[in-house]
Amino acid sequence: DFERNQIEAWGDSIESSSQAKLKNPLLRKEEHPDLPDAPALLYVNFDPLLVRLLREVKYFLLLGFQVPGTALEIYQHSEVFRRHMGNLDLIVNMYNNIQTTLLPVERPLLGNQLAKINKLLAQGIGGAKAKGKAPAKSLNWKSSNIELFINESMSEVSEVNGTLAVLKSNLKRVEELLDSWSQQSLFTRNPNKSSSIEDFEQLQKLKRQQRYSLIKDGGTEVHKLLKDSNRKLKVSQGLPDWKAYVDFINNIVVSGLTRVVVVSLDAIEHQ
């Protein structure tokens, strides 16, 4: 009787609150309190009280206790909740990765896609509003069309995340190429013996040809990487935002060439 009374009391205490928690939006958006200019991030909005309820009902059933009807009804959907939370976690992680890793020069290039994603995800956090219409009712954990929302969101966010991954990969490769240019000097000498002016000049000519060839091949690859990024973005090469991005890459290349000169001058000074 004591056990039954305790479980019934537990059921009464969580019945109203758990039903209310199921009406929470699927997602919540939070801004960083110390970084007002930082983009707001998304979080899955499944209340800890519901997580505790599912866990406790599981243990009650394992112990053979009779579970209150409301709690049991929620528990019967536990696998659905877990599946939804898992998929929403993937969406949220990709979205937050996009928001936190996008460079200022990259963000305008994905502006249309980001606007589309934000409009779509607004259905899960509330506040989605069509022109001339009242704000749409946000999806909650009792909504019937969660699967459709997840599938559409997963598709859109995955596409943008994939595009960003290509941009980042190509940018990293550009930086690797520039680092390889400055690994060796454009100037060299044999430290073990002296040489005639003619032999010395011949050695420098050969060295420069080798280094210039490496830099030229790297420059060709940089152009190919830029074209690959442009194809992935599907934007016009005459677009001001794309030209700004090309200038951004150009500045990185100039910085790389500067390092080559510095390394070479340093070698002249110390050899």
Side-chain angles (χ1 to χ4, degrees):
D1 289 340
F2 174 78
E3 289 176 347
R4 183 177 64 254
N5 290 337
Q6 291 299 310
I7 293 175
E8 288 177 354
W10 171 81
D12 292 339
S13 69
I14 66 166
E15 180 175 359
S16 58
S17 59
S18 60
Q19 289 296 331
K21 299 298 184 185
L22 287 174
K23 294 180 181 178
N24 287 341
L26 299 176
L27 305 169
R28 72 178 190 276
K29 181 176 282 191
E30 294 183 3
E31 296 182 354
H32 198 292
D34 301 324
L35 300 173
D37 296 330
L41 303 181
L42 287 182
Y43 300 89
V44 178
N45 195 35
F46 196 77
D47 197 275
L49 182 142
L50 294 172
V51 176
R52 188 179 68 184
L53 180 146
L54 296 176
R55 183 175 61 248
E56 291 176 343
V57 170
K58 174 184 177 181
Y59 293 143
F60 286 159
L61 293 175
L62 289 173
L63 293 170
F65 293 153
Q66 185 174 357
V67 180
T70 302
L72 185 60
E73 181 183 352
I74 295 175
Y75 179 77
Q76 288 171 345
H77 295 85
S78 60
E79 288 304 318
V80 175
F81 291 144
R82 289 191 182 94
R83 185 173 69 251
H84 289 342
M85 283 190 290
N87 288 327
L88 288 171
D89 269 331
L90 290 174
I91 293 170
V92 163
N93 289 338
M94 287 190 291
Y95 178 86
N96 290 344
N97 175 68
I98 292 168
Q99 293 292 1
T100 54
T101 60
L102 265 177
L103 297 174
V105 74
E106 295 169 335
R107 189 172 290 274
L109 295 171
L110 293 167
N112 292 334
Q113 295 95 316
L114 290 174
K116 186 176 181 180
I117 287 175
N118 286 329
K119 182 178 180 180
L120 180 59
L121 292 178
Q123 300 175 46
I125 57 179
K129 184 176 180 181
K131 188 176 181 180
K133 297 182 180 180
K137 186 177 180 181
S138 61
L139 295 170
N140 59 52
W141 296 97
K142 300 181 74 173
S143 298
S144 59
N145 51 344
I146 296 176
E147 291 279 0
L148 177 61
F149 168 74
I150 287 176
N151 290 337
E152 291 179 348
S153 300
M154 185 75 77
S155 176
E156 294 295 334
V157 176
S158 295
E159 183 176 351
V160 174
N161 193 57
T163 299
L164 180 59
V166 171
L167 286 180
K168 295 298 184 185
S169 175
N170 289 346
L171 177 58
K172 181 180 179 181
R173 178 56 184 160
V174 169
E175 292 172 340
E176 289 174 349
L177 286 169
L178 299 182
D179 287 340
S180 70
W181 294 354
S182 59
Q183 292 299 312
Q184 296 183 30
S185 161
L186 298 177
F187 169 89
T188 189
R189 65 182 289 265
N190 189 338
N192 298 320
K193 65 176 183 179
S194 59
S195 59
S196 65
I197 293 176
E198 292 78 10
D199 291 342
F200 179 78
E201 290 181 342
Q202 185 63 32
L203 179 63
Q204 302 316 308
K205 182 178 180 181
L206 178 62
K207 177 70 173 181
R208 286 197 301 272
Q209 286 177 345
Q210 293 172 344
R211 300 302 295 160
Y212 289 166
S213 177
L214 177 68
I215 293 173
K216 182 178 179 180
D217 291 343
T220 301
E221 186 172 351
V222 169
H223 282 287
K224 290 180 179 178
L225 292 168
L226 266 177
K227 289 183 179 180
D228 181 60
S229 295
N230 182 266
R231 284 194 298 269
K232 190 65 178 179
L233 288 166
K234 299 176 183 178
V235 297
S236 169
Q237 294 187 15
L239 187 73
D241 292 332
W242 173 252
K243 290 182 178 179
Y245 184 75
V246 173
D247 287 340
F248 167 73
I249 299 296
N250 283 341
N251 289 333
I252 294 176
V253 173
V254 170
S255 177
L257 291 172
T258 301
R259 290 200 301 273
V260 174
V261 174
V262 171
V263 168
S264 299
L265 290 174
D266 185 68
I268 292 174
E269 181 181 5
H270 292 93
Q271 286 188 4

